[in-house]
Amino acid sequence: QGTPEEESALPMIHRADSYGRIPAPHENDVLCGRGGSINSHPGNITFREWVYKRKTQYNLADSKRDKTIVVNEVLDLVRSVRPPGRFLQKHNSGWIEIDDAKAMAKISQALREGAPAMRAAHGKKATKRRSDSTRSPSPPRRESKRRAKKRNFDDYVPSE
């Protein structure tokens, strides 16, 4: 997210209105969604190049912390260009900026594409989740009101 000065330097068509709607993305924005127009947007092309250069580092990382460092690096790259790139999602007739959590999820997903083949090529196996025997048991789930009513109704035996 750019500074107010950077935002005001953008042509009106690229600025967010008071509701956060952006009429048109600029060349550094990364567009979320599917389709040829999104894939061919200049910001998405640059984004894919940055992701490609970091896929090996991300997919061979030993910890979630190391992966988060790679994700933040890409996020910082998008925001460091001038004008600053934003992660935008189509909304009605315009665009809205998504929050950091969604942007990081998009980056992580892009970095994971082709991960099994990459790990196999580097002789690294996917990390296994803990087995049920070593996992601590989760607390029992609370019964919903609807289920409790149904159970009570099913157990009801009319008196004669």
Side-chain angles (χ1 to χ4, degrees), residues 38-95:
I38 288 177
N39 282 334
S40 62
H41 181 72
N44 287 55
I45 293 169
T46 304
F47 170 73
R48 285 195 305 274
E49 289 170 1
W50 289 333
V51 164
Y52 179 78
K53 290 177 183 175
R54 289 159 181 81
K55 276 189 175 206
T56 303
Q57 180 185 359
Y58 179 88
N59 287 298
L60 300 181
D62 291 324
S63 69
K64 186 171 181 172
R65 181 182 173 278
D66 292 341
K67 289 182 178 194
T68 301
I69 290 169
V70 177
V71 170
N72 281 320
E73 191 177 310
V74 175
L75 185 63
D76 291 344
L77 281 168
V78 171
R79 293 194 174 146
S80 69
V81 292
R82 295 290 170 249
R86 304 165 291 190
F87 286 84
L88 304 179
Q89 184 173 34
K90 191 80 171 145
H91 183 74
N92 297 332
S93 60
W95 298 85

Side-chain angles (χ1 to χ4, degrees), residues 11-160:
M12 286 298 288
I13 195 162
H14 300 302
R15 289 190 215 168
D17 65 14
S18 59
Y19 298 104
R21 292 179 303 220
I22 300 162
H26 61 66
E27 69 276 6
N28 296 329
D29 289 331
V30 177
L31 309 181
C32 300
R34 299 167 60 140
S37 62
I38 288 177
N39 282 334
S40 62
H41 181 72
N44 287 55
I45 293 169
T46 304
F47 170 73
R48 285 195 305 274
E49 289 170 1
W50 289 333
V51 164
Y52 179 78
K53 290 177 183 175
R54 289 159 181 81
K55 276 189 175 206
T56 303
Q57 180 185 359
Y58 179 88
N59 287 298
L60 300 181
D62 291 324
S63 69
K64 186 171 181 172
R65 181 182 173 278
D66 292 341
K67 289 182 178 194
T68 301
I69 290 169
V70 177
V71 170
N72 281 320
E73 191 177 310
V74 175
L75 185 63
D76 291 344
L77 281 168
V78 171
R79 293 194 174 146
S80 69
V81 292
R82 295 290 170 249
R86 304 165 291 190
F87 286 84
L88 304 179
Q89 184 173 34
K90 191 80 171 145
H91 183 74
N92 297 332
S93 60
W95 298 85
I96 57 169
E97 189 169 2
I98 62 173
D99 61 34
D100 283 358
K102 288 180 183 173
M104 291 174 79
K106 177 178 178 62
I107 296 166
S108 296
Q109 179 62 45
L111 287 163
R112 281 193 304 269
E113 286 177 6
M118 183 178 293
R119 282 193 294 265
H122 286 85
K124 186 169 182 178
K125 293 183 179 180
T127 55
K128 291 184 180 178
R129 294 180 182 236
R130 293 189 311 182
S131 68
D132 286 338
S133 62
T134 60
R135 188 179 300 156
S136 58
S138 55
R141 293 179 72 185
R142 210 176 101 216
E143 185 175 48
S144 70
K145 288 180 181 178
R146 176 184 278 171
R147 189 170 297 247
K149 269 186 178 177
K150 183 177 181 342
R151 184 179 40 78
N152 290 339
F153 181 77
D154 290 345
D155 293 343
Y156 175 73
V157 178
S159 59
E160 294 181 31

